[in-house]
Amino acid sequence: MNQQAGRRSSAAWALVITSVAGFMAALDNLVVTTALPSIRKDLGGALEDLEWTVSAYTLTFAVLLMLGAALGDRFGRRRLFIAGLVIFTGASAGAALAPGIDALIAARAVQGVGAAVMMPLTLTLLTAAVPVARRGAALGIFSAVTGLAVASGPLIGGSLTEHISWQWIFWLNVPIGLVLLPLARLRLDESYAPNARLDIPGTLLVSGGLFGIVYALVNGQADGWTSTPILAGLTVGTALVLAFVRHGITSKNPMLPMRLFRDRAFFGINVASLLMFLGMFGSIFLLSQFLQGVAGYSPTEAGLRMLPWTGMPLIVAPIAGYLSDKIGGRPVVATGLALQAIGLGLFAIVLEPGVSYAAQLPGLILSGIGMALYFAPAASVVMSSVRSAEQGIASGANNALREVGGALGIAVLGAVFAVQGGYETPEAFTDGTVPALWIGAAAVALAALVALLIPGRRRTDPAGTEKAAATAGERAPVAV
């Protein structure tokens, strides 16, 4: 009886520790968006500096995510989880204390490193601590907590910025991290997977390639699109990404085997995910600033007004999951992406300096419903597209591609904004935002078409549903 109570206590502690850590990492994807006008006012910086304030986190998070999971498997999941938590907490303090925009960007990049090590190991540690019979409920709670972080990110960021200061969106992580560190050391059990893949060459290729491309897109307008640094970034970055693709084809144990993309379901859902996050993240980056700089809302008011979009998955996701089970993932994902594209298009149509919130609401609601319809079945489609033994790699790849899409979205839509408008007047900001939103809508619409490549019926592994679910939980890095 005491042993059973001990196991229950261990599972409960693991759920609390990993859920809070996951909340912090997911929150930092969007918490900074409503603070951007205040950061710009205090620290200065041009459009490209604001873009890097967001993308420095998402980019390092994306490219190091799968390496972080492999390092934990090889050298100890609890040990690396604690190391990632230390890095993330320290970098959060560094961001809060940043004396200038460059120091803030550097701290955000280090935050992303910590999150990339910490986040994929949360599910691994949670799965190891929770018995199979209760694993579904535990993973559901974990997913709900990370979903809440995404939904509340703009609101929390806006409220802290308005009522205290923007630095507190980073200070918030510090006491939480300091509490979690001893709890993780005392309450989590250590585990290993000594045969885990460590693909250092692949990590270096994809990191260098994506940095070069994003650097060129973000700084192209300021440095000149034909300048040597920009052309070099595009050329070298593209070459390194192509080398990464070749590495995934020819290497014995690559971090991302390219053969997985031969499967229509895996190809369709991953390309659709990248395009969806490209359109969504880039649009939120600009719209959160529009609501404050042009529409005149306070940071808290802007965060509240974003809730019909960011918070909708909490309401619609259960319905979307039910529909996915009934009719399959393809129609739900494709419909969701189409609705989000329409929502962004509605925004582009109505946006002007004096636009009312009532006019913006249909676009917010449709985008939110669309995002919810996409999120609920996407993970299931990813998992059913590969063998059970490869579900950890598949989940990690999908989450990494989402983050890459987010970084590219901010870079691409920011570049369109910089060419067509600027911060000088409300009219200039609107002139830049509207064509950028059309690009975002087009990217998500293309994602809807790509999603139609997903086979109509989900393929499952009849050899063992429970084993598949356990594998997914043990090796599935999550990044919202």
Side-chain angles (χ1 to χ4, degrees):
M1 193 68 165
N2 289 336
Q3 188 176 4
Q4 186 177 4
R7 283 198 297 268
R8 282 199 299 266
S9 175
S10 177
W13 276 112
L15 178 59
V16 170
I17 294 166
T18 58
S19 294
V20 174
F23 183 91
M24 286 199 303
L27 184 71
D28 270 59
N29 264 324
L30 289 179
V31 72
V32 75
T33 53
T34 41
L36 289 173
S38 297
I39 291 173
R40 181 170 177 264
K41 181 180 178 182
D42 281 1
L43 300 183
L47 171 66
E48 57 268 24
D49 297 311
L50 297 184
E51 292 180 57
W52 278 117
T53 302
V54 181
S55 295
Y57 180 81
T58 57
L59 198 57
T60 52
F61 195 170
V63 299
L64 297 176
L65 188 89
M66 298 180 74
L67 178 64
L71 287 171
D73 288 345
R74 176 71 67 87
F75 299 110
R77 291 159 178 159
R78 183 185 66 183
R79 179 182 300 165
L80 265 293
F81 173 80
I82 291 172
L85 185 58
V86 168
I87 294 170
F88 184 85
T89 303
S92 296
L97 294 169
I101 194 72
D102 292 337
L104 176 60
I105 292 169
R108 287 283 287 167
V110 178
Q111 261 193 317
V113 174
V117 176
M118 173 180 71
M119 191 64 174
L121 298 174
T122 54
L123 277 180
T124 312
L125 291 163
L126 178 60
T127 303
V130 178
V132 173
R134 291 188 288 151
R135 194 169 292 162
L139 294 175
I141 294 171
F142 178 91
S143 298
V145 171
T146 54
L148 180 63
V150 174
S152 60
L155 177 58
I156 291 174
S159 298
L160 290 172
T161 299
E162 180 178 352
H163 298 295
I164 309 177
S165 71
W166 64 262
Q167 285 89 348
W168 274 91
I169 65 175
F170 303 116
W171 279 128
L172 179 66
N173 295 325
V174 176
I176 298 174
L178 291 176
V179 170
L180 287 182
L181 282 169
L183 290 177
R185 178 65 183 84
L186 296 172
R187 298 292 183 176
L188 296 178
D189 294 327
E190 186 62 279
S191 61
Y192 298 85
N195 296 322
R197 303 173 180 181
L198 286 181
D199 185 7
I200 303 300
T203 301
L204 293 175
L205 286 172
V206 73
S207 301
L210 289 173
F211 176 80
I213 292 170
V214 172
Y215 172 86
L217 291 172
V218 168
N219 293 278
Q221 183 67 15
D223 295 352
W225 289 102
T226 58
S227 65
T228 300
I230 301 306
L231 292 177
L234 289 172
T235 304
V236 176
T238 302
L240 289 175
V241 170
L242 291 175
F244 173 74
V245 172
R246 185 176 184 278
H247 174 78
I249 296 172
T250 60
S251 178
K252 184 178 179 181
N253 289 312
M255 63 188 294
L256 179 56
M258 292 298 153
R259 60 179 170 74
L260 295 178
F261 288 94
R262 297 173 190 164
D263 183 277
R264 282 173 51 203
F266 188 83
F267 176 86
I269 192 61
N270 279 288
V271 174
S273 295
L274 186 146
L275 290 169
M276 182 269 198
F277 270 68
L278 190 155
M280 180 190 73
F281 257 70
S283 299
I284 289 177
F285 173 77
L286 292 172
L287 287 172
S288 61
Q289 296 181 73
F290 176 89
L291 289 174
Q292 295 179 64
V294 178
Y297 297 118
S298 70
T300 303
E301 291 171 337
L304 282 170
R305 281 159 176 77
M306 293 289 284
L307 278 179
W309 186 352
T310 59
M312 193 62 70
L314 296 177
I315 301 172
V316 179
I319 301 171
Y322 173 80
L323 290 174
S324 178
D325 289 338
K326 289 293 183 182
I327 63 177
R330 180 178 69 176
V332 181
V333 168
T335 301
L337 293 170
L339 287 175
Q340 189 168 58
I342 294 170
L344 291 176
L346 288 177
F347 252 119
I349 290 171
V350 304
L351 217 62
E352 59 182 12
V355 65
S356 67
Y357 181 65
Q360 300 172 52
L361 202 53
L364 285 166
I365 292 173
L366 276 181
S367 295
I369 293 173
M371 185 166 66
L373 290 175
Y374 157 81
F375 272 128
S380 177
V381 172
V382 171
M383 292 304 178
S384 63
S385 68
V386 297
R387 298 190 301 269
S388 297
E390 295 176 324
Q391 287 181 330
I393 296 172
S395 178
N398 181 255
N399 285 303
L401 285 170
R402 291 181 186 183
E403 296 293 326
V404 168
L408 289 175
I410 291 171
V412 171
L413 271 62
V416 174
F417 172 86
V419 171
Q420 299 293 326
Y423 286 97
E424 294 80 16
T425 64
E427 290 76 15
F429 195 97
T430 305
D431 289 343
T433 302
V434 169
L437 288 177
W438 280 120
I439 298 295
V444 181
L446 180 59
L449 294 175
V450 172
L452 296 177
L453 294 173
I454 300 168
R457 284 189 171 190
R458 295 183 305 164
R459 288 170 300 162
T460 57
D461 178 7
T465 304
E466 184 177 287
K467 182 179 178 182
T471 305
E474 289 171 4
R475 295 297 310 280
V478 171
V480 181

